[in-house]
Amino acid sequence: MLELDRLTKSYGGRTVLDGLSHAFRAGEFVAIMGESGVGKSTLLNLIAGLDTPDSGRVIVDGTPMSALDDDAATRLRRTRMGFIFQAFHVLPHLTLRQNVALPLLLNHEPDARADAMLEAVGLGGRGNDFPRQLSGGEMQRVAIARALVHRPALLLADEPTGNLDPDTAGGILRLLRSETRAHGAGAIMVTHSHAAADMADQVLLLTSSGLKFA
Ligand SMILES: Nc1ncnc2c1ncn2[C@@H]1O[C@H](COP(=O)(O)OP(=O)(O)OP(=O)(O)O)[C@@H](O)[C@H]1O
Ligand SMILES: [Mg+2]
């Protein structure tokens, strides 16, 4: 469902990604590891459309993102992808229910699923709470609920357990695994944690010469 075709990206004359190609299969849970600074977040941002490649293509469901206008590209991402980033990006002034319902709102879908999703991540009954009332692990569970509430085909996660203690991180990973499986979603998860990578279907290593199977 996702194909990367000779992606190249440089910053200030320094090449980070150099002609990277890879095909991700639908429903597959993939972990991407690699040294700090090698370009993992850059790669995820290119897939998420938060950044554009210098050359090469990101192809989603057979359509090169570059062939779509901004609106159509945004629509495709909003419906087909879910995002979890390290800093959560949970909005402080919205309740948990409103945070989780956000992708549905943006897609003009009814928000009925938000409560069930909160329940699924162990935060049932807390829909009216605000993020400031949560621990880091609970916050990340809200981020997971929000990333999956609109049933995306692909979940993108950058260090989703990066700032959690090992026990909490384990719980979050099991949840990520079970929720993506329940919805038939694939995932691309960037991680430094071998425990996290262990639960992926496939582990890829990003080096300066590209992505290879670890
Ligand atoms: N917006 C930017 N402007 C300039 N340089 C950037 C920018 N974004 C990333 N870089 C550089 O690109 C390289 C890759 O960064 P990236 O964040 O993708 O690494 P990473 O593999 O995610 O590292 P980490 O494991 O530490 O998160 C780094 O050298 C970084 O300094
Ligand atoms: Mg990074």
Side-chain angles (χ1 to χ4, degrees):
M1 76 140 302
L2 172 71
E3 202 182 331
L4 310 177
D5 177 31
R6 291 165 293 169
L7 281 185
T8 297
K9 183 72 183 178
S10 300
Y11 291 112
R14 208 172 68 80
T15 301
V16 178
L17 303 177
D18 186 11
L20 184 144
S21 296
H22 191 79
F24 294 91
R25 281 199 298 266
E28 197 170 47
F29 202 114
V30 176
I32 295 182
M33 303 189 79
E35 283 174 21
S36 178
V38 77
K40 302 179 301 295
S41 294
T42 301
L43 176 60
L44 221 52
N45 289 344
L46 292 179
I47 297 169
L50 300 174
D51 205 348
T52 46
D54 299 333
S55 65
R57 302 181 304 168
V58 174
I59 303 167
V60 179
D61 295 334
T63 305
M65 295 304 285
S66 53
L68 302 175
D69 63 28
D70 280 355
D71 281 354
T74 301
R75 217 158 34 236
L76 185 67
R77 281 188 207 103
R78 253 185 212 159
T79 53
R80 302 287 285 158
M81 297 181 188
F83 307 99
I84 303 177
F85 292 101
Q86 188 165 2
F88 309 135
H89 298 300
V90 171
L91 303 177
H93 301 297
L94 299 184
T95 64
L96 304 190
R97 179 182 298 110
Q98 288 168 332
N99 263 287
V100 172
L102 211 53
L104 301 171
L105 200 74
L106 292 170
N107 289 332
H108 309 288
E109 290 178 59
D111 63 1
R113 220 146 54 209
D115 279 324
M117 208 61 224
L118 276 170
E119 182 89 42
V121 300
L123 292 169
R126 297 196 64 181
N128 294 323
D129 284 0
F130 285 89
R132 64 172 177 278
Q133 298 167 276
L134 301 184
S135 70
E138 288 169 341
M139 201 100 84
Q140 195 60 314
R141 285 194 255 154
V142 174
I144 291 173
R146 188 181 54 190
L148 292 170
V149 73
H150 55 305
R151 309 256 161 91
L154 181 66
L155 179 73
L156 301 174
D158 196 350
E159 284 283 347
T161 57
N163 35 24
L164 302 176
D165 67 80
D167 279 354
T168 310
I172 291 294
L173 286 168
R174 282 191 291 279
L175 189 65
L176 263 182
R177 189 76 244 226
S178 60
E179 288 300 312
T180 46
R181 204 171 261 156
H183 297 138
I188 301 175
M189 174 179 70
V190 166
T191 184
H192 286 287
S193 151
H194 288 277
D198 276 350
M199 53 129 255
D201 295 323
Q202 193 175 85
V203 181
L204 300 175
L205 186 67
L206 182 63
T207 68
S208 54
S209 49
L211 270 180
K212 45 180 166 245
F213 297 102

